[in-house]
Amino acid sequence: MSDGFAYLDIIFFAMVAAFIGLRLRSVLGRRTGHERRRPDAFSAPPPARQDDNVVALPEREQAEPAASGDPVAAGLAAIRRMDRSFDADDFLQGAKAAFGMIVDAFAKGEKDVLRPLLAPEVYRRFTTAIDDRARRGESLSTELVAIRGAEIVGAETLGSRARLTVRFESEQINVTHDARGEPIGGSTPETEIIVDIWTFERDTRSSDPNWQLTETHSPT
């Protein structure tokens, strides 16, 4: 008798379970068309819609101006790839400041000012000229009236080193005096236009952002 009641209990609970299952499906199992799919963490993100607030920026390399066969533009692009902080306009501003400091320090014989601005070989040449001038008892008076122009005319990379050549056109007054303070023949206090071609270098791996003067010459 008890076995019969146990059998009926099993049937009763099975019917209850089936009823509950049907009710749960009626609430949770049907799609209304407004559900949001769970994102797949391993798949690529979907493309942004045009009405999204976030606008994708182009890659830096794609934003570089085309070199168009210009070796200077190609060199500048190569330097930017090695040094993301490089900016040609900022460099030219610094180059003009260095030009003024070097011209003034050379005239005054200030070797301590020149040392950090010049590469060793250029520093040796400058200090030799300063010493020779002092040995002859001569002095140089230089006034940099204005820098009329500064243009990058060469750009390249040598290993990790960036190398930029700048053409400076400046107005200067240069007078060399002898030991008695008299102007040496041919030296007059008049403004003249001087063109210099200077080359600067820096190691892009270095934390030091400063460039050094590595070559100087005048156009022929």
Side-chain angles (χ1 to χ4, degrees):
M1 193 73 172
S2 60
D3 291 340
F5 281 112
Y7 181 73
L8 292 174
D9 289 343
I10 292 173
I11 294 175
F12 173 76
F13 286 121
M15 293 175 63
V16 170
F19 175 77
I20 293 174
L22 290 173
R23 293 294 299 170
L24 287 174
R25 182 177 180 184
S26 68
V27 175
L28 302 178
R30 290 183 302 184
R31 304 185 63 86
T32 65
H34 298 286
E35 297 86 353
R36 180 175 300 175
R37 294 185 61 186
R38 182 176 65 86
D40 185 351
F42 300 98
S43 65
R49 301 189 307 272
Q50 292 185 355
D51 58 348
D52 283 346
N53 291 328
V54 179
V55 179
L57 296 177
E59 293 293 332
R60 179 102 180 222
E61 287 77 4
Q62 295 175 350
E64 297 284 1
S68 301
D70 182 352
V72 174
L76 291 173
I79 293 173
R80 277 190 289 266
R81 284 193 292 271
M82 290 201 311
D83 180 4
R84 293 293 186 177
S85 66
F86 172 76
D87 181 87
D89 292 334
D90 290 344
F91 166 79
L92 279 177
Q93 291 300 317
K96 287 191 287 187
F99 180 84
M101 292 175 62
I102 292 170
V103 168
D104 183 67
F106 175 72
K108 295 177 179 178
E110 297 176 337
K111 299 179 183 179
D112 56 333
V113 176
L114 293 172
R115 186 183 296 275
L117 300 172
L118 310 180
E121 178 58 28
V122 178
Y123 178 76
R124 184 189 64 78
R125 296 203 311 269
F126 274 50
T127 56
T128 297
I130 291 172
D131 293 341
D132 290 344
R133 190 172 65 208
R135 198 161 34 247
R136 295 191 300 268
E138 298 174 354
S139 61
L140 174 62
S141 173
T142 295
E143 178 185 354
L144 180 59
V145 179
I147 299 177
R148 299 177 58 175
E151 177 188 5
I152 297 175
V153 296
E156 61 180 332
T157 57
L158 302 172
S160 65
R161 299 191 67 79
R163 179 181 172 91
L164 291 168
T165 300
V166 181
R167 181 186 185 275
F168 293 99
E169 182 176 315
S170 62
E171 298 181 36
Q172 299 182 28
I173 299 175
N174 293 289
V175 182
T176 301
H177 300 86
D178 60 21
R180 296 174 299 174
E182 297 294 330
I184 294 177
S187 185
T188 59
E190 295 181 356
T191 302
E192 56 182 334
I193 306 299
I194 297 179
V195 175
D196 292 285
I197 308 295
W198 286 13
T199 298
F200 300 86
E201 290 186 24
R202 72 174 291 267
D203 190 340
T204 58
R205 296 175 304 183
S206 173
S207 59
D208 184 358
N210 296 317
W211 296 72
Q212 283 192 325
L213 179 63
T214 58
E215 289 182 19
T216 65
H217 69 274
S218 300
T220 55

